[in-house]
Amino acid sequence: MRIILLGPPGSGKGTQGDLISQRYGFPKVSTGDILRLAVRGRTDLGVKAESMMNRGLLVSDDIVLELVRRRISAEDCRRGYLLDGFPRNISQAESLEKLETGRPERAVEIQVDFDLLVQRLSARLVCGQCQAVYNLNVQPPRREGACDVCSGGLVRRKDDQPEVIAERLKVYKKETEPLRGYYQAKNMYHAVDGQGTVQDVYLRIASYLDAALAEAPGLKDEARR
Ligand code: AMP
């Protein structure tokens, strides 16, 4: 099974993706994480992607598609996987289906009010070493400026600066939101309220996916509980 997590920047896809991936035993494939790793490693691809990312714009479909193709052909994705941050537009969604035809899929959109997204993204810090994510309002580190996990220094993502946040939300509306209609038309779409605690949102997503798995035995075979 392929689980696609849709939702604007700051909606909690990364956090929920980790929890859902643990629940069903599917790896989480985050194109944002893969790209940031490439940027940090100064690979050719990372160097190409960096300026688009820093400006809040989408990296070219060719680059992202190649990264996804490589990642989902790995052995651990054979039974299923969860996508976070991909597809980001209709063309990527169509390419994904061509890449792997016939894989059953479900798209879950995490919906959060615009004002709250801006608040969340503005309060986000990440560890420069292990990439653990914090939020100064709801999940601050125990010691100011230091990671709870590895004591690394906490930094703001370059694309979490106010003007870049505004650009990313604009790009989301224009490029990514049309995926809602795309998956609705295929009868594979479900929306959840992304407000409330992490646990509240997790239970909403899991109860939908549990029901989807119960209804479609073909999906269930692929999930480990
Ligand atoms: P994210 O961590 O998902 O917010 O992604 C961070 C940035 O990586 C985005 O603002 C884009 O510049 C780039 N990116 C991530 N996923 C994609 C994608 N599927 N298509 C194009 N660009 C992407």
Side-chain angles (χ1 to χ4, degrees):
M1 182 188 189
R2 171 158 68 217
I3 300 168
I4 297 170
L5 274 191
L6 296 173
S11 57
K13 295 188 300 298
T15 306
Q16 296 299 333
D18 285 335
L19 297 171
I20 293 294
S21 124
Q22 276 164 29
R23 181 178 181 89
Y24 299 105
F26 295 151
K28 179 181 92 167
V29 176
S30 156
T31 43
D33 286 350
I34 299 174
L35 285 164
R36 278 184 290 278
L37 192 69
V39 170
R40 284 198 302 280
R42 309 307 303 156
T43 65
D44 288 352
L45 200 144
V47 171
K48 273 192 204 150
E50 187 175 22
S51 80
M52 298 304 270
M53 294 174 74
N54 287 348
R55 284 150 62 202
L57 303 174
L58 293 187
V59 172
S60 83
D61 287 352
D62 293 356
I63 292 184
V64 177
L65 207 69
E66 176 55 18
L67 288 172
V68 170
R69 189 192 63 72
R70 274 190 234 159
R71 179 63 189 92
I72 66 178
S73 56
E75 175 59 24
D76 65 337
C77 289
R78 202 171 45 82
R79 287 174 38 257
Y81 50 87
L82 177 145
L83 292 171
D84 157 13
F86 182 91
R88 216 71 165 214
N89 57 33
I90 303 259
S91 149
Q92 291 183 5
E94 288 170 349
S95 302
L96 175 63
E97 274 153 39
K98 286 190 201 122
L99 211 59
E100 250 200 350
T101 39
R103 166 94 67 184
E105 62 185 353
R106 290 290 181 275
V108 179
E109 181 183 0
I110 308 177
Q111 297 185 325
V112 175
D113 285 350
F114 187 88
D115 290 349
L116 184 59
L117 293 173
V118 175
Q119 242 181 59
R120 284 188 188 175
L121 291 168
S122 310
R124 177 161 72 179
L125 291 179
V126 293
C127 173
Q129 270 175 43
C130 76
Q131 315 306 315
V133 181
Y134 297 87
N135 180 293
L136 290 174
N137 300 326
V138 293
Q139 201 200 351
R142 284 195 292 272
R143 194 155 55 85
E144 199 185 321
C147 177
D148 294 350
V149 183
C150 74
S151 302
L154 301 186
V155 292
R156 195 175 293 278
R157 266 171 53 172
K158 284 199 178 134
D159 59 355
D160 281 343
Q161 308 298 333
E163 56 294 352
V164 187
I165 291 176
E167 187 64 38
R168 287 163 68 205
L169 292 171
K170 214 164 85 189
V171 168
Y172 182 81
K173 265 214 146 331
K174 181 161 177 268
E175 300 281 338
T176 313
E177 226 172 52
L179 286 172
R180 185 185 297 156
Y182 179 85
Y183 287 112
Q184 267 169 344
K186 290 174 175 287
N187 244 340
M188 288 170 184
Y189 170 89
H190 182 76
V192 297
D193 177 1
Q195 288 164 174
T197 65
V198 167
Q199 183 69 7
D200 290 340
V201 180
Y202 166 64
L203 291 176
R204 287 174 201 141
I205 300 174
S207 82
Y208 164 68
L209 288 173
D210 282 356
L213 289 167
E215 270 169 28
L219 300 180
K220 199 173 195 170
D221 289 345
E222 297 185 66
R224 166 167 62 74
R225 291 292 311 276

